[in-house]
Amino acid sequence: MTPGKNRGFRQLSISIVLYDTDQDTLVETIESMASAVAEAQAENLINKTVFYLIQNGDEARIPSETILKFLTPLQIEFVHKRNSVNLGFGRAHNQVIMTESSEYSLILNPD
């Protein structure tokens, strides 16, 4: 069988938790992530991707327009969540993992 053919529906959820994260580093991480998703889509490894950006008590402005420029062409759904306090790295990611029905979850750390 050719890789990627007839694999059925595959959904990927990706999450990044932010706390005092450098904006340039965040954008570089998302650009790299989008490139990897494009390759996986081209190989028919995933059909749908949902990207969660979780601000963990961080009040910094998020460059949403810049982020969407990478996500929109790939039809990556974007969910922005803001926690009022810092829940910690793992607990913030678990908020996504425990509610998401994706076959695959990818946790990214832009640091």
Side-chain angles (χ1 to χ4, degrees), residues 23-108:
Q23 297 283 323
D24 291 336
T25 303
L26 174 62
V27 170
E28 288 173 14
T29 302
I30 292 170
E31 184 177 15
S32 178
M33 175 203 71
S35 176
V37 167
E39 288 182 38
Q41 288 175 344
E43 293 291 324
N44 198 28
L45 297 173
I46 54 174
N47 306 93
K48 180 179 179 183
T49 304
V50 182
F51 172 61
Y52 294 86
L53 188 65
I54 305 138
Q55 284 188 263
N56 217 7
D58 183 0
E59 296 298 322
R61 185 181 169 283
I62 296 302
S64 295
E65 287 181 23
T66 303
I67 292 169
L68 288 173
K69 132 180 132 169
F70 295 112
L71 305 181
T72 302
L74 300 171
Q75 298 180 330
I76 298 173
E77 183 180 334
F78 177 48
V79 178
H80 181 201
K81 181 168 177 46
R82 183 170 281 167
N83 293 326
S84 59
V85 296
N86 185 349
L87 299 177
F89 181 82
R91 190 168 171 200
H93 281 294
N94 282 341
Q95 287 179 311
V96 171
I97 293 169
M98 301 304 275
T99 60
E100 184 57 49
S101 61
S102 297
E103 288 86 356
Y104 304 101
S105 294
L106 173 63
I107 295 173
L108 288 180

